[in-house]
Amino acid sequence: MADEKRVLSIHSTVVFGYVGNKSATFPLQLLGYDVSPINSIQVSNHTEYGSQKGRVSDGEDAEALFEGLRNNDLMNYTHVLTGYIVSESFLLKVVEVIKELKAQNPSLIYVCDPVLGDNGHLYVKERIVPIYRDVVIHLADIITPNQTELELLTDTIITCEAEALSAIDLLHARGIPTVVLSSSELGDTQSLLCLASQKKGDTTKKYRLKMPKLDDYFVGTGDLFAASLLAWMDRDQDLKSALEKTVSILQAVLERTFRYAKSLAGPNGKPSMRQKELRLIQSRADIENPQVVLRAEEVA
């Protein structure tokens, strides 16, 4: 048991497609992690289809699951991963459980993907934001916000790399050791900019990595990013290496998905959301053995 890596993954899930736990669990399992998924919301499909059916879990639902785990002595994890949570009571219950798990296992690593919004648009109710900003992120060992989420968590406006790095330093000052800006529009017309920073004692290492843009929009990429980063940070114990492998996985999956969607849509067609569902199963070799083609550079 001492050598087993067990991840409690708390996300949304869909019946059809790849987002939330459907996007995070398979890569973690491929990389050797025993995953216990808890679903904050279960719906038929993601919102980009235009309509969906399902239900949101609340704090009572979460507590029932955690109680069952406790009753059978199953609350023993090496990692916690959280993503999209829309219920305030569910989120507060998760906070309690993370504190409980960290008390039981001080070496437990909590990776927080603070799914709040993107491109200035909120995915959650406004009252969820201060819970993340004032409570949740203070428990995190690794946090993976996008540009909008980094702004929300630090009450700043980010228009350039220097402002992003300053915002990241604000999160370090709040006790978060590793911050990865998973995506931003701070690059150029051809690329997205990713920034990563790790603070150990008085030493901080920062990295930048540019990711080529694809001429389309995909869902579930942030969930794949956070899960892959968890695994490679644990395996390599090196932020630069983990960042490069995580981005390589993401690029391989997206490029394969993009080619597949275009082949179905035809030379003059626009791929549908169904055609653009991530090709995770078909990318398992890239997930298990990422070929690094994009290198991170250290920021002075």
Side-chain angles (χ1 to χ4, degrees):
M1 290 293 291
D3 294 330
E4 290 185 3
K5 297 299 179 79
R6 304 187 67 236
V7 181
L8 178 64
S9 181
I10 305 172
H11 267 289
S12 62
T13 196
V14 288
V15 177
F16 181 88
Y18 292 96
V19 70
N21 263 329
K22 287 285 291 292
S23 189
T25 299
F26 177 67
L28 284 168
Q29 290 173 326
L30 271 182
L31 291 169
Y33 294 82
D34 185 4
V35 184
S36 298
I38 289 183
N39 301 321
S40 61
I41 174 174
Q42 179 166 356
V43 288
S44 55
N45 47 268
H46 63 70
T47 56
E48 294 298 322
Y49 282 90
S51 67
Q52 59 180 194
K53 293 292 184 179
R55 71 180 299 270
V56 175
S57 296
D58 60 19
E60 289 186 6
D61 297 322
E63 177 54 31
L65 295 174
F66 292 129
E67 183 179 358
L69 292 172
R70 287 190 200 96
N71 289 344
N72 292 286
D73 193 25
L74 300 175
M75 291 280 279
N76 49 338
Y77 293 96
T78 57
H79 295 78
V80 175
L81 172 65
T82 62
Y84 185 45
I85 298 173
V86 295
S87 163
E88 183 177 357
S89 63
F90 189 102
L91 180 58
L92 292 173
K93 182 58 63 176
V94 168
V95 167
E96 291 178 14
V97 168
I98 293 172
K99 290 178 179 178
E100 174 186 346
L101 292 173
K102 279 184 167 268
Q104 292 176 4
N105 177 14
S107 64
L108 179 140
I109 299 297
Y110 171 33
V111 179
C112 174
D113 183 13
V115 184
L116 300 171
D118 200 5
N119 296 316
H121 171 69
L122 275 179
Y123 297 150
V124 298
K125 294 179 180 179
E126 287 189 15
R127 64 175 180 267
I128 295 289
V129 176
I131 299 175
Y132 269 95
R133 186 183 60 235
D134 301 332
V135 182
V136 178
I137 65 171
H138 294 273
L139 299 171
D141 300 282
I142 301 171
I143 186 170
T144 61
N146 61 33
Q147 184 175 340
T148 294
E149 291 155 353
L150 184 58
E151 291 178 330
L152 290 168
L153 294 173
T154 57
D155 286 321
T156 59
I157 300 297
I158 297 170
T159 61
C160 63
E161 180 182 301
E163 291 173 348
L165 292 171
S166 294
I168 287 172
D169 284 337
L170 290 175
L171 294 181
H172 284 322
R174 296 179 191 177
I176 305 168
T178 302
V179 181
V180 179
L181 178 61
S182 58
S183 67
S184 76
E185 295 295 331
L186 303 175
D188 50 40
T189 57
Q190 302 298 317
S191 63
L192 298 171
L193 181 67
C194 178
L195 297 171
S197 180
Q198 187 171 53
K199 183 177 176 61
K200 292 183 178 180
D202 296 329
T203 302
T204 302
K205 291 281 190 178
K206 291 182 166 66
Y207 303 94
R208 73 165 64 86
L209 194 156
K210 291 185 177 181
M211 300 175 286
K213 286 183 180 179
L214 292 175
D215 187 24
D216 217 323
Y217 173 73
F218 302 88
V219 175
T221 54
D223 309 315
L224 174 60
F225 186 101
S228 299
L229 186 71
L230 181 157
W232 289 108
M233 280 290 289
D234 180 52
R235 284 179 158 213
D236 292 356
Q237 297 293 307
D238 180 82
L239 178 58
K240 182 178 183 291
S241 174
L243 179 64
E244 291 172 343
K245 290 178 180 177
T246 295
V247 170
S248 295
I249 289 171
L250 197 65
Q251 284 299 117
V253 172
L254 287 178
E255 288 172 5
R256 179 172 287 104
T257 303
F258 185 68
R259 291 194 302 269
Y260 176 75
K262 292 289 286 185
S263 71
L264 293 180
N268 299 316
K270 181 179 180 180
S272 66
M273 288 310 305
R274 179 170 182 168
Q275 292 167 340
K276 292 190 294 182
E277 289 287 357
L278 297 181
R279 303 286 284 172
L280 280 185
I281 306 300
Q282 297 76 12
S283 302
R284 54 192 178 274
D286 297 300
I287 295 169
E288 288 185 285
N289 186 29
Q291 302 302 303
V292 175
V293 294
L294 300 172
R295 297 289 179 180
E297 59 180 344
E298 188 167 353
V299 180

